[in-house]
Amino acid sequence: RVVTEGAASDRTEVPLNIDTSRISRGNFSALINGTWKLINGWEGIYDGWWSSQPYTKEEPTAPAEGVKMGGANVWLFDLSRDETERHNVAQDHPGVVAAMQQRMRELADPGAGYVAPQPNLPHPASLPFLHNGTWAPFRRGDEEDVVV
C-alpha cells in the first residue's frame, strides 16, 4: 500500500547497496537510516551533480568531498536538511557514521545471508564515451563475458 496508495511506511532503514567484494575495490555500500544517508567507498568517475535539461555536470564542491573514517572513505548526508547531498557532515557526526558502518557490516555478513554480487563486466561497446556520456546496453544473448 505504501507505493500504490501512498500509505505511511514503518520502514526507517533502506540498504541501497551492500558490496564488500573485490570487484568494488573493497567496499562500496550505501545505507539510509531515518534521515541519514551514509555512503562508503570511493567517489567513482561520475561524481558530481547531473542535470537532464540540458544534460550538464556540476563538479563536486569541497563541502561534499569524502572523508576517511573507520578505515573507509565516507559521505554522510542529513537528507532532511540536504536533499541534494551537497554537504558531507560525517566529521560532525562520528557516532552516526560508526553506527551505520556497523550496520553495513551486519548486512554484509555471509552468516546473515549476504552473497557477494556476481561479476558484471561491461561490454566494451557499452562504454559511455561511445554514447554521449551514457552507459548503453550492448550485448547479445549468445555472447560470452568480455574482460575489459
Side-chain angles (χ1 to χ4, degrees):
R1 296 188 35 227
V2 172
V3 174
T4 59
E5 299 174 19
S9 172
D10 294 333
R11 179 178 279 191
T12 58
E13 176 182 87
V14 180
L16 301 174
N17 191 59
I18 302 296
D19 184 353
T20 60
S21 69
R22 64 177 177 74
I23 297 168
S24 66
R25 298 183 182 186
N27 191 338
F28 187 63
S29 301
L31 176 67
I32 293 175
N33 191 318
T35 64
W36 299 110
K37 178 178 180 182
L38 182 70
I39 303 169
N40 253 3
W42 63 292
E43 61 276 359
I45 59 174
Y46 296 106
D47 194 25
W49 296 276
W50 296 81
S51 65
S52 59
Q53 294 182 350
Y55 188 67
T56 58
K57 178 184 180 184
E58 181 183 336
E59 293 296 330
T61 56
E65 291 179 356
V67 295
K68 194 83 156 178
M69 295 180 78
N73 290 326
V74 298
W75 293 261
L76 179 70
F77 302 104
D78 181 350
L79 299 176
S80 69
R81 296 183 177 162
D82 182 18
E83 291 178 352
T84 57
E85 303 174 10
R86 293 178 184 261
H87 300 280
N88 183 356
V89 295
Q91 290 182 317
D92 298 333
H93 301 280
V96 173
V97 171
M100 291 181 75
Q101 285 180 324
Q102 175 58 35
R103 179 62 179 142
M104 287 182 188
R105 283 190 291 277
E106 292 168 4
L107 292 168
D109 180 0
Y114 173 79
V115 177
Q118 67 179 358
N120 190 9
L121 302 173
H123 190 290
S126 70
L127 297 174
F129 76 90
L130 297 171
H131 305 282
N132 196 25
T134 305
W135 284 98
F138 196 97
R139 186 169 182 163
R140 297 185 313 267
D142 62 341
E143 261 184 303
E144 295 290 321
D145 286 336
V146 177
V147 178
V148 184

